[in-house]
Amino acid sequence: MEAEQITRIEEAALNAWPAPRQMIYDGWLLRFTGGPSKRVNSVNIRYPSRLPLQEKIAFCEEIYALADLPSLFRVPAPFSTPELVQFLLKAGYHAFDETYVLTRDLADANPVPDNLRVESFLIDDWIPYKGLISDSEPGPLALQQQILNCIVPQKNLIVLFAGDSPVACGMAVVEGDLLGYFSIYTHHDGRRKGYARVAMSVLTAWGLQRGAKLGYLQVEGFNQPARELYRQLGFDLCYPYDYYKKE
């Protein structure tokens, strides 16, 4: 994939999961939210640097300490350099939680089976369903609600029901011809029944109606069941990224 398209995907993903508080520092995007989501609590390497790396990293460490947050660096492979990686390693950082950005060309979606139904919800109504389906704690859910309220592009928050029981949920964000998939969860009592596939198909149909042509998502390397599902759905690796932290 061309560098220009990768840049568009990276920017769309940042827009689709925004931080309520952030700042740009010499081409790096610093995000401050709190909670467990690393994407909105890390230094995102985006554009070339002008300042010395030692000065930049020291500044990031100081400002994250002031925010009472650990200093995390999110380093997408297409925007990384050997110099940056070596400097982080020498400064005591190590890579963890390798994550993959996957993409696929969008095709016609399958209809929803007759025994299931799908509803779209506003943020305040969708969050409790996500908490129930993903078994999330109230604290992180409140922070995620803040994140969702900051999304500017058009989004669709769905819940899949089997009878009256919510069995899966998901979110999609469309920006131009790009469709991002987020928060795809299946309730633990409904796994291995194809519910996640149905949720993905519904979100795909919604994106196609709004002009999307390429789908993307992010999946952690250790999440083998999700990776296998996305492989079966036709997603291929676009680029990886690592997080760096100090012990």
Side-chain angles (χ1 to χ4, degrees):
M1 185 173 288
E2 296 182 358
E4 181 181 351
Q5 183 75 315
I6 291 175
T7 296
R8 290 184 62 234
I9 292 170
E10 180 70 9
E11 291 179 350
L14 291 171
N15 291 337
W17 198 252
R21 298 173 60 227
Q22 64 183 35
M23 64 177 288
I24 295 177
Y25 172 64
D26 190 37
W28 291 359
L29 179 63
L30 283 61
R31 312 175 97 195
F32 312 87
T33 302
S37 176
K38 298 185 293 296
R39 275 179 287 172
V40 289
N41 289 290
S42 55
V43 179
N44 288 261
I45 309 302
R46 280 297 295 111
Y47 303 106
S49 299
R50 296 163 296 173
L51 300 175
L53 284 174
Q54 181 175 2
E55 178 180 337
K56 291 189 69 171
I57 292 174
F59 174 86
C60 293
E61 291 177 341
E62 179 181 358
I63 200 164
Y64 274 88
L66 290 172
D68 198 25
L69 291 170
S71 179
L72 297 179
F73 290 82
R74 178 179 172 274
V75 184
F79 309 108
S80 180
T81 64
E83 180 187 14
L84 172 61
V85 171
Q86 289 302 314
F87 203 97
L88 287 170
L89 295 176
K90 289 180 180 178
Y93 289 82
H94 68 274
F96 74 108
D97 281 3
E98 183 178 35
T99 303
Y100 304 117
V101 177
L102 310 179
T103 60
R104 72 167 184 183
D105 292 329
L106 297 181
D108 291 340
N110 296 320
V112 178
D114 293 337
N115 62 324
L116 301 174
R117 64 183 173 89
V118 177
E119 292 187 28
S120 295
F121 290 91
L122 299 176
I123 294 171
D124 291 350
D125 297 321
W126 182 77
I127 282 289
Y129 281 115
K130 180 187 177 183
L132 175 65
I133 293 168
S134 65
D135 196 23
S136 300
E137 296 294 330
L141 283 174
L143 290 170
Q144 291 172 25
Q145 192 166 0
Q146 293 181 36
I147 292 169
L148 297 182
N149 279 312
C150 292
I151 298 174
V152 175
Q154 190 174 4
K155 60 186 176 295
N156 188 19
L157 310 172
I158 67 165
V159 177
L160 182 69
F161 293 87
D164 294 328
S165 300
V167 294
C169 67
M171 178 182 85
V173 181
V174 65
E175 184 174 332
D177 62 351
L178 299 177
L179 180 69
Y181 301 86
F182 299 86
S183 298
I184 308 297
Y185 290 101
T186 300
H187 191 270
H188 57 78
D189 290 336
R191 290 173 184 163
R192 300 186 182 278
K193 296 183 180 180
Y195 294 149
R197 288 174 178 268
V198 176
M200 292 284 292
S201 183
V202 170
L203 294 171
T204 298
W206 175 84
L208 287 169
Q209 292 172 359
R210 285 152 183 81
K213 297 179 180 179
L214 183 73
Y216 71 89
L217 55 85
Q218 302 167 346
V219 59
E220 293 172 314
F222 62 78
N223 192 345
Q224 292 293 341
R227 290 174 59 189
E228 177 60 21
L229 168 65
Y230 299 139
R231 184 193 67 78
Q232 294 175 11
L233 292 175
F235 284 88
D236 294 316
L237 176 65
C238 183
Y239 61 92
Y241 62 84
D242 285 309
Y243 289 96
Y244 286 81
K245 69 176 180 179
K246 285 183 177 180
E247 291 294 346

